[in-house]
Amino acid sequence: MKQGLIKFLAASLILCGGVSAIATFPLVAPPPANAQDEDTNIRVYKQASPAVVSIQSRSGNGSGSIIDPKGLVLTNAHVVRGSTTVNVILSDKRQFRGVVIASSRNPDLAMIRLEGVTTNLPTIQIASSNGIQVGQRAFAIGNPFGRFAGTLTTGIISRIDSDRKLLQTDAALNPGNSGGALLNSRAELVGVNTAIFTTSSVNSGIGLAIEADTVKQFIAAVQQGTIANNPTPAVASPTVLNLDGNAIASVLTASDNTLPDGSYYKAYQFQGKAGQSLVIEMRGNGIDPYLVLFDSTGRKIAEDDDGGGGKNARIAVTLPSTGKYTLYANSYEVGQTGSFTIAGRLSNNFTSQSPIEPTDDLRIILQKNGILGTQSRVYAKDGSLFDAFSFNGLAGQVVQIELVSSDFHPYLVLFAPDSRVLQENNGLPSRKNASMTLELPVTGTYRTIVNAFDPNGKGAYKLIVKTVR
């Protein structure tokens, strides 16, 4: 493109005065196209990178953009899912405690307020979507894999999806870039990087970002107080959920109440005791089930999308306190209606009057029969498939985690609530079984990764997490 422009300028000079005009007036040759590109890259990075942050949450690692000098950070909702506070690291290595003040699943955006900010912070300005065009240059800055903070990648806007309000880009995005800035050549935010599209174990080079106008609407809603984190709508007459394992059949309809993101919900309540472990499952017919559990103070303690296999939702949690718990059964996609069943059961029963010897069934915290395949996520570094599952653990609790497969060589990783790798096992020497036994260091939500030792590995597996003591 730039070579064509140079030829056009040269032709214009000739048309303006012929060869003699060129001889009469000194002509300063423009810098090579690659030098101009480099200058733009350097300028955009210097201007924007100080306002791009790394985020550590219970859900993993992500990126974000400072949009207010007093410490407001914009990111994806899935980066902070399940968290009320996160750790935010600035480009200059300063760290702040961040409070999640707003979160929305549609659009997938969240707002964090940094605590303890005493001086104005660098910010990124937000552009208008009206000026965005296919073919314009795009710059992504973020923290890929949670290990390479401040990484710049470049590309173009490849496509504008007006229906879903998304920008498609070929600027390289990887896990950890979620929530980071997609910028124009003026270092303005044109989108929030949110997803990588792939249909196989090979990165297809298609990244998706939420467009700027949608971002502005979200920010305005947050400022108006219409979007909050851990929303707990008033429940007039919730259905009692007996933790006896019996399923309750229900239907989400357009006449139901909605959460702030617009999704319909049914509310359930039960009385719980501190230390009780329970499992709640929601199975849908025509909807993608989503479960959110709050304690008696309105604090969100668990949520799940696909933990029950397929698109079914499953929460396995140890209750932190005694009181009345409220469960919201709704859909991942806003506006979905359809039938579902919901059931809850205790997986232990701690009573001093009737001590019992735990059976294997009562020891089980999480059990999953799954398949590494087309529905699995892709680890961009080596192209291997993986599935992720969460469970709640108590400090001092000893757990055993076992991953078994006859189809692939299993690889097992356990992350602590602060996203540190606690332990991993490569499945050797058996090549059919990867296991670990360890004492949990803190109370919180742990994340287990089901992966294959061979990047091409796929097939059926069984994952079991159970208490040893």
Side-chain angles (χ1 to χ4, degrees):
M1 179 184 297
K2 290 188 179 296
Q3 289 179 346
L5 177 61
I6 293 170
K7 291 178 180 178
F8 172 78
L9 290 173
S12 298
L13 286 171
I14 294 173
L15 290 173
C16 289
V19 176
S20 62
I22 298 176
T24 303
F25 299 100
L27 176 63
V28 178
N34 60 349
Q36 293 180 353
D37 290 345
E38 287 178 0
D39 289 343
T40 302
N41 295 346
I42 293 169
R43 177 177 50 79
V44 169
Y45 187 78
K46 284 184 175 180
Q47 187 172 336
S49 63
V52 177
V53 302
S54 300
I55 299 171
Q56 298 172 336
S57 75
R58 293 168 56 181
S59 300
N61 296 287
S63 306
S65 301
I66 304 173
I67 60 168
D68 183 271
K70 299 301 182 183
L72 287 181
V73 174
L74 180 71
T75 187
N76 284 145
H78 75 260
V79 170
V80 299
R81 181 169 294 162
S83 301
T84 55
T85 61
V86 294
N87 186 45
V88 179
I89 306 170
L90 273 57
S91 63
D92 60 10
K93 308 303 180 185
R94 283 184 291 168
Q95 297 192 29
F96 291 88
R97 181 176 185 266
V99 178
V100 183
I101 61 173
S103 179
S104 168
R105 280 187 283 133
N106 187 17
D108 179 18
L109 293 171
M111 189 76 75
I112 300 168
R113 184 183 67 248
L114 303 186
E115 295 185 334
V117 176
T118 56
T119 59
N120 285 346
L121 300 177
T123 62
I124 290 178
Q125 299 301 311
I126 302 175
S128 168
S129 294
N130 292 335
I132 301 173
Q133 300 184 49
V134 172
Q136 76 176 65
R137 295 188 65 190
F139 307 81
I141 304 177
N143 183 23
F145 305 108
R147 298 175 58 191
F148 306 102
T151 295
L152 169 71
T153 56
T154 65
I156 62 169
I157 301 296
S158 309
R159 180 174 175 268
I160 299 175
D161 188 334
S162 300
D163 294 332
R164 294 189 296 165
K165 308 298 183 183
L166 294 174
L167 304 179
Q168 180 179 316
T169 180
D170 64 353
L173 302 179
N174 289 289
N177 275 107
S178 290
L182 188 68
L183 306 158
N184 61 20
S185 57
R186 294 185 296 276
E188 298 169 330
L189 186 144
V190 296
V192 174
N193 299 319
T194 191
I196 307 165
F197 180 80
T198 181
T199 57
S200 67
S201 60
V202 179
N203 190 332
S204 59
I206 296 178
L208 299 174
I210 300 169
E211 67 169 16
D213 284 355
T214 300
V215 172
K216 288 183 175 179
Q217 292 167 9
F218 170 79
I219 294 171
V222 173
Q223 293 172 338
Q224 295 164 9
T226 57
I227 297 179
N229 193 39
N230 301 345
T232 55
V235 181
S237 55
T239 302
V240 175
L241 180 66
N242 294 314
L243 303 177
D244 55 8
N246 293 322
I248 299 174
S250 189
V251 181
L252 288 180
T253 70
S255 61
D256 284 328
N257 292 325
T258 61
L259 294 175
D261 65 3
S263 59
Y264 304 115
Y265 74 89
K266 287 285 197 298
Y268 300 84
Q269 285 187 339
F270 62 87
Q271 189 70 26
K273 295 182 179 180
Q276 281 182 322
S277 291
L278 56 89
V279 175
I280 302 171
E281 295 182 301
M282 178 182 179
R283 297 184 175 277
N285 182 15
I287 64 171
D288 183 353
Y290 199 92
L291 286 172
V292 189
L293 180 64
F294 295 86
D295 66 11
S296 58
T297 67
R299 181 173 63 96
K300 179 170 34 176
I301 63 168
E303 62 182 314
D304 185 71
D305 177 22
D306 297 330
K311 291 190 174 182
N312 298 312
R314 182 180 189 270
I315 288 176
V317 64
T318 300
L319 301 182
S321 59
T322 297
K324 186 170 289 186
Y325 287 79
T326 303
L327 181 74
Y328 295 92
N330 73 327
S331 61
Y332 187 82
E333 297 292 338
V334 173
Q336 283 189 336
T337 58
S339 61
F340 67 90
T341 62
I342 191 165
R345 64 179 175 85
L346 294 173
S347 56
N348 66 22
N349 186 18
F350 298 125
T351 60
S352 57
Q353 291 83 2
S354 56
I356 59 174
E357 183 66 27
T359 64
D360 277 346
D361 181 59
L362 295 179
R363 292 178 189 270
I364 292 176
I365 300 174
L366 172 68
Q367 182 170 320
K368 172 68 177 178
N369 293 311
I371 297 176
L372 278 184
T374 56
Q375 300 299 314
S376 300
R377 298 163 67 182
V378 178
Y379 181 41
K381 186 174 183 179
D382 64 3
S384 63
L385 303 174
F386 74 93
D387 291 334
F389 303 97
S390 299
F391 67 91
N392 279 59
L394 301 173
Q397 192 176 41
V398 178
V399 299
Q400 181 183 71
I401 306 174
E402 187 172 35
L403 173 63
V404 180
S405 175
S406 58
D407 294 333
F408 63 89
H409 179 169
Y411 194 91
L412 184 64
V413 186
L414 178 65
F415 289 88
D418 63 0
S419 300
R420 289 182 301 110
V421 175
L422 274 185
Q423 199 171 121
E424 52 190 314
N425 187 275
N426 59 14
L428 296 173
S430 73
R431 299 180 182 273
K432 298 296 181 183
N433 180 302
S435 64
M436 58 181 70
T437 300
L438 73 161
E439 180 177 327
L440 302 182
V442 296
T443 297
T445 301
Y446 291 78
R447 193 159 57 106
T448 305
I449 302 298
V450 172
N451 188 224
F453 187 81
D454 178 356
N456 297 317
K458 60 181 65 176
Y461 63 83
K462 182 174 184 178
L463 173 71
I464 297 178
V465 181
K466 61 184 180 181
T467 60
V468 177
R469 70 173 188 272

